[in-house]
Amino acid sequence: MTQTYRITLLPGDGIGPEIMRVAVEALEAIARQFDLRFSFNEALVGGAAIDATGEPLPADTLEQCCQSDAVLLAAIGGYKWDNLPRAQRPETGLLGLRAGLGLFANLRPATIVPQLIDASTLKREVVEGVDIMVVRELTGGIYFGQPKGIFQTETGAQRGVNTMAYTTAEIDRIAKVGFETARQRGHRLCSVDKANVLDVSQLWRDRLTQMASQYPDVELSHLYVDNAAMQLVRAPKQFDTLVTGNLFGDILSDAAAMLTGSIGMLPSASLGVAGTPGLFEPVHGSAPDIAGQDKANPLAQVLSAAMLLRYGLNQPQAATKLEMAVTQVLEQGYRTGDIMSAGLKSVGCRAMGEALLAALDA
Ligand code: NAD
């Protein structure tokens, strides 16, 4: 019997509902072709949830997400909720969702789409063929380590403190995601740390090195974070999969993403322990400046749905099919405003969705 996958949809705010519609239609087409069954249920998060219930992450939404096989989020936030106290803001809903689902690994691909290569600010020969996955630890490290805060010293001065700390268990579980991800890609894993200065990084490096013996098919290398930043813009093609801690990953994943030059094309995945639902969402925000105008590029949302298939439901062929359909619409010259160049076919969000469905059916 065909398994039914339960997918919670969180359209959120701004362009969220428009781009979500395109992704869901694409998933429905994929289901027909691959004999999969999806049961979609929609829930409120962010500003939409604040308006309806007074809080950015209603308990019912988190419950629905926990009960599903995967969660597809669009984006949250907007001018309307910008002046609320922090605890009531849309972003707080997103943080609560990540914590509630125990998402400790963030996967951010930076893949150069040949048709959009000129959107990159780097030279064509440097970025052509770039296909990098940054695996970032999401719930530990300096953003969460204790002690943290601004303290009063004995002399009356103030002292700001954050602590970069990782336990072996925290390192091992993200290392495992790194190795497993590299195994599904180019079999090369580069671990990024600052082991020449930081003890926490030395422990990180030791654990990664130890774990490598369990993955003889993956080639492990190590880089200091300063060198990794340089190498990313100097010669990005050398990288396949990068794995790193929270702070370094925050910075490097944005730098890697910008090699591609187009924010409307970037998906992401956040994963917890095996068997729990992952969260899949575009990197961009809710783009309130173009919301409701049929101008949004839905392709990052569609590529997030492809990541959901690959990393959330272990359906790599269905994921590849969806990714190929995205490539095809770009090859056919369809462009939303954010990626438009002269001589190509300017379309809105809906028409891009229709072109995608046609490519999926072809
Ligand atoms: P943004 O990513 O929403 O928009 C930045 C620029 O990129 C805008 O000009 C926008 O029109 C454009 N853009 C973004 N996505 C696009 C798409 N799919 N197609 C075409 N153009 C696109 O970032 P921002 O303006 O800094 O933030 C807007 C709101 O989104 C804020 O409330 C912010 O807090 C929120 N935000 C949410 C998330 C999230 O949900 N994960 C992430 C970032 C920002």
Side-chain angles (χ1 to χ4, degrees), residues 246-362:
N246 205 344
L247 171 64
F248 301 154
D250 193 1
I251 299 164
L252 293 181
S253 60
D254 270 9
M258 278 303 107
L259 297 172
T260 68
S262 40
I263 191 156
M265 297 293 304
L266 296 168
S268 78
S270 302
L271 308 175
V273 294
T276 61
L279 176 71
F280 303 84
E281 57 178 316
V283 166
H284 62 71
S286 60
D289 52 332
I290 57 166
Q293 300 169 40
D294 194 34
K295 286 183 180 167
N297 181 351
L299 297 180
Q301 186 72 50
V302 171
L303 292 170
S304 302
M307 289 191 88
L308 180 154
L309 292 167
R310 188 183 304 280
Y311 297 101
L313 306 181
N314 197 21
Q315 295 287 345
Q317 284 149 347
T320 302
K321 171 89 192 191
L322 196 47
E323 287 158 358
M324 280 170 56
V326 169
T327 306
Q328 210 174 322
V329 293
L330 294 171
E331 247 160 36
Q332 291 165 348
Y334 293 106
R335 298 286 188 276
T336 43
D338 58 314
I339 50 173
M340 184 62 192
S341 25
L344 297 171
K345 299 172 199 158
S346 173
V347 289
C349 182
R350 235 171 307 143
M352 182 63 104
E354 282 157 20
L356 188 80
L357 289 180
L360 278 171
D361 284 340

Side-chain angles (χ1 to χ4, degrees), residues 126-306:
V126 174
V127 290
E128 199 157 38
V130 160
D131 181 6
I132 300 171
M133 180 70 80
V134 180
V135 178
R136 165 190 171 192
E137 201 287 328
L138 206 55
T139 53
I142 197 162
Y143 294 166
F144 296 92
Q146 293 291 344
K148 64 189 281 187
I150 298 172
F151 302 99
Q152 207 75 18
T153 69
E154 281 170 8
T155 61
Q158 286 186 307
R159 182 163 179 265
V161 178
N162 289 89
T163 303
M164 191 187 269
Y166 275 115
T167 64
T168 50
E170 286 173 319
I171 299 169
D172 290 355
R173 66 180 188 175
I174 189 71
K176 187 164 184 286
V177 175
F179 279 108
E180 303 272 347
T181 306
R183 187 171 255 180
Q184 290 187 49
R185 294 171 40 86
H187 296 257
R188 287 182 296 116
L189 181 65
C190 177
S191 169
V192 177
D193 62 37
K194 189 71 184 168
N196 50 342
V197 179
L198 301 173
D199 298 308
V200 55
S201 278
Q202 188 59 55
L203 182 64
W204 177 282
R205 190 173 278 225
D206 293 346
R207 298 303 294 186
L208 265 287
T209 306
Q210 275 177 40
M211 196 177 279
S213 62
Q214 295 171 36
Y215 295 88
D217 55 324
V218 177
E219 181 193 317
L220 174 69
S221 60
H222 301 276
L223 270 189
Y224 298 135
V225 62
D226 42 350
N227 192 13
M230 277 199 292
Q231 297 300 329
L232 260 181
V233 285
R234 192 190 70 84
K237 271 181 265 190
Q238 69 186 285
F239 295 113
D240 170 34
T241 306
L242 292 165
V243 64
T244 188
N246 205 344
L247 171 64
F248 301 154
D250 193 1
I251 299 164
L252 293 181
S253 60
D254 270 9
M258 278 303 107
L259 297 172
T260 68
S262 40
I263 191 156
M265 297 293 304
L266 296 168
S268 78
S270 302
L271 308 175
V273 294
T276 61
L279 176 71
F280 303 84
E281 57 178 316
V283 166
H284 62 71
S286 60
D289 52 332
I290 57 166
Q293 300 169 40
D294 194 34
K295 286 183 180 167
N297 181 351
L299 297 180
Q301 186 72 50
V302 171
L303 292 170
S304 302

